[in-house]
Amino acid sequence: MRPAAKAPNPPSKAPGQPATGMDMPTAALRSTRPKPPPPTTSVIRPAGSKVLRPQTGRMRTTADPREKRPTRTRKTVPPGTVPLASSAVRADRSSAAARRMLRKLVQGENPPTQAMSIVERLAGSPYANPLVRTAGPDANARKTLDLALGMAESMFRYGAGALEVETAIIAVTAAFGLESIEVDITNQSVLLNYSPKDQTPITVMRVVRSWTNNYAGLGLVHQLVTDIIDGGLSRAEAANRLNEITHQPKPFPRWAVTVSAGVFAAAIVGFIGGGPLASLVGFAGTVMVSLLQRVLGRWRVPDFFTTAASGFVVTAMAMLFWSMEVPISPGIVVAGGILVMLPTGRLVSAVQDAINGFPVTASGRFLSAFLTFGALVAGIAVALVLGALMGMGRLNVTDVASSQYSFAVTLLLLAIALGAICIVEQSPRRLVLPTVLIGTAGFLVYQLVEAGGMGPRLTPAVAAIFIGMVARIVALRMGAPQLIVAVPAVLFLFPGLAIFRSMYGLSIGTDEMYQGVVGLFDALTVILAISGGVVLGDNLGRPFTRNLNGNDRRNRRR
């Protein structure tokens, strides 16, 4: 057999020629291999070919009409799955949107357990929109708390309501940069708790044990709080001003208050139907009552017995002059004398506290007001019983009293009475004339409503609503709380004559006992309706005083 032929040897390279890949090692071959041209190198390609654009990653073809455009590739579906139809996808999306809408309607935007910021309590109050100083944690937070407590104590003593005291505290503490403040107000105490994060909490309390008629001081404290939230006072300056307010004398001396109380009684007696002699007796009895109250106050006699003694003196003097055949009506004289002793401001504040969510404070003020009312009727009843035991004749209390003067004189008597009661309540001098005008306008509204046939219970309430609304607008424009103007202006609406007639029927008459009970209930109903009307008018006047709150007034001045 012929042996297999051997493969021919590769031709040897010619001298001077470079070595090929077969003759060179792999590393040398890799290093000498020519590099591809860069992407920016232009290459001439035949027409209709595809060009790759690295910058955008898209394919573009030349304008060859014979070539079809590339179609979009569909997403590959994993094996074992079935793609949803478009109608099913739309239905799923609509059901998800419906579930979200239903969740919003049922649950709301905020969680149901989210706490409300305490600064939101200032909405609608005279201290809304305070200028908050965000200077970080306050090292002297105790001084701010003491300042707020001092203001709260002064406002409580001067007759402010619990809501006004609470909003004043919140506004002052927020203006001086204190957060995490909690306020608790009861009938005669104020408690503040300051608990900043990662710091020791501070709790302070102040008890108010006395009350006084000083509406001028209440107006000054209101103006002080307004200046603080406007950012125009430092803490030290505010403390000095508060100290000056508490030690400042009242605008009217004692003798002026005593004389004004007598003038108020005399004018009211003429306003409700008494003659000149009845007004004179009412003046004398009220002056004597004022002196008696001053003496009993120095002896530290409780207010209940002081008020009962005052009601007894007024009724006894009226019965005494009537027994001496002086042509007067005892009921009218007593009605004019007890109006100045009715707890008008306390009743208005009690109704306001009950409506605004302070049940404990409202209960305490209601109890105090009804005790004062009970002391008055007790004093009247004792005087009537003693008069009957002494043989005095029976009174005719069923006569309906009407003014003996013309309408112009009646308006003048009412204006005199309103000005006198402003002096008794120690109102600011600049608010005496606005109070007189508002009270006179309220009487005109009373006459119009009574002519329309609204009834004896609803007519005073409508007039009180008007007085409360106008009093808020005027008082805030003049830098004072609504209570200062509303309480003196509404006092003539209270049913003093109905109280006397009811107590006479309960104390003396046997046939009129049922009418006395009904009359006393009607009097209490009218008193509460008047107090509620003042509070309702205050709330109705809020839309007209939105631009009079806090730093809005300061920004307007700027």
Side-chain angles (χ1 to χ4, degrees), residues 394 397-398 502 504-506 508-517:
R394 186 180 180 84
V397 297
T398 59
S502 304
Y504 186 83
L506 289 173
I508 303 300
T510 56
D511 301 333
E512 298 90 357
M513 186 171 292
Y514 173 75
Q515 283 134 5
V517 173

Side-chain angles (χ1 to χ4, degrees), residues 50 63 82 118 127 130 142 154-155 167 191 211 220 241 256 263 290 329 392 399 405 427 463 484 498 507 530:
K50 297 179 181 180
V82 178
I118 195 171
Y127 312 121
R142 177 59 188 270
S154 301
M155 296 176 72
T167 52
L191 186 142
W211 291 269
L220 292 175
R241 276 186 55 178
V263 171
S290 299
S329 175
M392 293 183 181
D399 293 338
Y405 305 100
S427 299
I484 295 178
S507 303
I530 294 172

